[in-house]
Amino acid sequence: MFRFRQIAARVGVSLPFRILVAVACLVVHLVMLEKLAHDRFDWKFDQSPATAPGFADPHGGVHDWDRLIVSRWDSEHYEGLALRGFTMCKDKDQLPKGAFPDDDHACQLGFYPGYPLIGRAVMKVLHVPIDYALFYVSLAASFLFLLMWTSRPMIEGLGLGGTYLSLLLFNTFTSGFTLVTVYTEPCLLALSLAAFLCLHKRWLLVGALLAGAATVMRITGAATGFAYCAGLLVLTLMEHPKPNRVWWWRAALAPISGWGVIALMGYFQHRFGDALIYGHAHVRAYGYAVGLAKVLIPDGRLLMQSIWAEPYDGIFLAAALLWFALGHKQGLRRFKPESRAYWYTFYFGVVGLTIYGSVSCAYCGSTRYMLVALPLFFAMAGIMKNRPVVLALWLFMSTMHYYHGSACVYLSQRVPDRRHKCTLPLEYRSSDLAAGKE
């Protein structure tokens, strides 16, 4: 047994094995999506290979934006931003009184431009359609993210077994397939974990730049910037309890760790006269009324909807809170103090922003957003590693909902009877299924 553990330890930290694990995770997610798309909807990976996404009407949406099975929901907005940026938005001096730049639906101010800009650059370099360019960006970011998960700093904090168990729990989470989709999460995950590793290695300027880049990927990226500042503060107070010149240098890194969102807000203020126009545009587009009062006293009807309506966002949000509350001490105890400060701030930042932004829509999207709350999976590994029955039950439930719930709802966005493709009406009987009735 001892020799087996020695061999496992050597293999677990070896670069070829780590690369193999990262590639295997991405392949499995793609295979699962392709199988589900074929079995439930009779779709291929690319439904329209000869027609690339583009614009037939300058003020219209992107046509053929969802030809790839990995391109659904918000992917349309990211492709549109990558192709034409904010060129369809009127400047503040072009607007009549009482009008807003985002009154034109072609103006995508309710979405962050970081991920689309990277996709545009890849599109120009590789000469590929924008949906494939963004897909390649997601795959590359996810590969680096998974590779970093099994790095030595992570193994030091989680242990070898805890590292790979938490990675398993992450990939089998109900929204694990997000790693291979045209979404912003892969870039945010990669940048957030890279910033943590830089903090661990004391590459403080590089880490601040990476954390700042995360803040322009999506709204929850702000959690990365604040987490880096928290880790930096704890590190500085531990190394230099008394004020000195180092304090000033470390303090200067704080705004750098938020350079992305600071630059974006500066651009919004200069062009539209509203530094917070992202939030205002989002509310105007979707009608979500936000406020702290709604967070503390949520609408009971929306709360119930989050529990019974697919993809059961409220249930998985509650699970994310519960698992972390039960296992955070075991999951994070081996990390250094500055690392714990980073992860705690990151977790509560992601969860807080998610709840605040989604409470008025029955916590919509929480199954996807909780994938970013990485300390959740550290906590789950900490509490489940010695509880095989609990682990087996959770893996079964989560993977079943991954395939039959979240992934199915994701794929079936534009299917008129999509609910019947993913769930059965209540009046169905087992005899109907046996007879092959649909």
Side-chain angles (χ1 to χ4, degrees):
M1 180 62 70
F2 178 73
R3 181 170 177 78
F4 173 78
R5 289 182 177 178
Q6 283 185 317
I7 295 173
R10 287 199 299 269
V11 172
V13 299
S14 65
L15 183 59
F17 181 76
R18 292 167 54 212
I19 292 175
L20 179 63
V21 168
V23 172
C25 290
L26 298 179
V27 169
V28 168
H29 289 309
L30 283 171
V31 169
M32 294 289 275
L33 282 180
E34 286 197 85
K35 177 175 172 53
L36 184 61
H38 177 269
D39 292 350
R40 297 283 177 87
F41 309 103
D42 196 26
W43 290 339
K44 299 177 181 178
F45 178 81
D46 187 343
Q47 285 291 100
S48 180
T51 309
F55 299 101
D57 178 0
H59 291 274
V62 187
H63 64 72
D64 292 291
W65 65 270
D66 57 350
R67 62 174 181 161
L68 306 183
I69 62 171
V70 294
S71 180
R72 292 291 187 274
W73 301 93
D74 291 349
S75 303
E76 177 183 12
H77 305 289
Y78 301 132
E79 290 180 28
L81 271 175
L83 289 173
R84 62 186 176 191
F86 294 129
T87 58
M88 304 305 294
C89 305
K90 293 182 179 180
D91 297 341
K92 56 186 177 182
D93 55 355
Q94 297 176 311
L95 293 171
K97 186 176 180 179
F100 302 99
D102 49 294
D103 288 344
D104 187 332
H105 294 299
C107 174
Q108 301 286 355
L109 284 173
F111 295 86
Y112 275 34
Y115 175 60
L117 287 175
I118 300 174
R120 179 191 294 181
V122 172
M123 177 183 67
K124 291 181 177 180
V125 171
L126 298 182
H127 303 288
V128 294
I130 188 57
D131 51 352
Y132 274 98
L134 289 168
F135 174 53
Y136 296 156
V137 171
S138 291
L139 284 182
S142 294
F143 171 76
L144 293 174
F145 164 71
L146 293 170
L147 191 63
M148 287 186 288
W149 192 306
T150 55
S151 61
R152 289 189 181 275
M154 293 292 286
I155 292 174
E156 290 176 10
L158 295 170
L160 184 64
T163 297
Y164 281 94
L165 178 56
S166 61
L167 185 63
L168 173 65
L169 290 164
F170 174 88
N171 280 278
T172 56
F173 192 66
T174 182
S175 54
F177 63 88
T178 303
L179 287 179
V180 297
T181 59
V182 179
Y183 275 165
T184 54
E185 276 79 5
C187 285
L188 175 57
L189 286 166
L191 289 168
S192 299
L193 188 49
F196 163 74
L197 295 180
C198 288
L199 178 69
H200 181 275
K201 292 178 176 293
R202 306 297 191 267
W203 300 344
L204 300 183
L205 177 57
V206 176
L209 291 170
L210 291 172
T215 64
V216 79
M217 292 299 147
R218 59 177 300 105
I219 183 64
T220 43
T224 308
F226 283 115
Y228 195 82
C229 289
L232 196 62
L233 176 62
V234 171
L235 177 64
T236 301
L237 292 176
M238 289 179 59
E239 293 181 342
H240 305 278
K242 296 181 179 180
N244 56 34
R245 286 181 296 179
V246 175
W247 278 32
W248 298 107
W249 159 242
R250 300 280 175 87
L253 293 176
I256 296 176
S257 65
W259 70 263
V261 71
I262 292 172
L264 185 62
M265 291 173 66
Y267 170 78
F268 285 158
Q269 179 64 39
H270 171 73
R271 183 171 173 185
F272 305 114
D274 182 3
L276 303 177
I277 199 169
Y278 160 80
H280 299 153
H282 212 78
V283 170
R284 285 192 289 267
Y286 297 98
Y288 299 157
V290 297
L292 186 59
K294 291 181 177 293
V295 174
L296 299 176
I297 310 175
D299 188 321
R301 295 165 298 178
L302 292 175
L303 188 63
M304 292 306 299
Q305 180 181 335
S306 74
I307 294 173
W308 62 257
E310 276 281 13
Y312 311 126
D313 290 298
I315 292 177
F316 281 92
L317 176 59
L321 295 171
L322 178 62
W323 285 128
F324 188 78
L326 292 174
H328 69 95
K329 290 183 179 179
Q330 299 97 312
L332 295 171
R333 63 184 176 83
R334 293 178 56 173
F335 283 102
K336 296 178 180 178
E338 67 273 15
S339 299
R340 289 200 297 272
Y342 181 95
W343 287 128
Y344 275 110
T345 305
F346 184 72
Y347 173 82
F348 286 112
V350 170
V351 172
L353 287 168
T354 295
I355 293 176
Y356 184 82
S358 65
V359 65
S360 296
C361 62
Y363 304 105
C364 55
S366 294
T367 49
R368 168 186 159 197
Y369 307 147
M370 285 301 98
L371 191 71
V372 178
L374 296 180
L376 164 65
F377 304 100
F378 307 162
M380 290 171 68
I383 199 171
M384 293 183 189
K385 63 182 179 182
N386 295 320
R387 295 175 174 85
V389 175
V390 175
L391 175 62
L393 288 172
W394 172 260
L395 288 176
F396 175 80
M397 186 195 77
S398 189
T399 52
M400 287 299 101
H401 193 263
Y402 169 119
Y403 189 78
H404 299 289
S406 292
C408 191
V409 170
Y410 167 79
L411 286 172
S412 60
Q413 176 191 6
R414 292 183 176 271
V415 178
D417 61 339
R418 65 187 179 92
R419 293 190 182 279
H420 292 171
K421 293 290 186 179
C422 301
T423 59
L424 294 173
L426 292 177
E427 62 268 18
Y428 264 52
R429 298 168 299 178
S430 58
S431 57
D432 295 327
L433 295 178
K437 295 180 180 180
E438 295 184 358

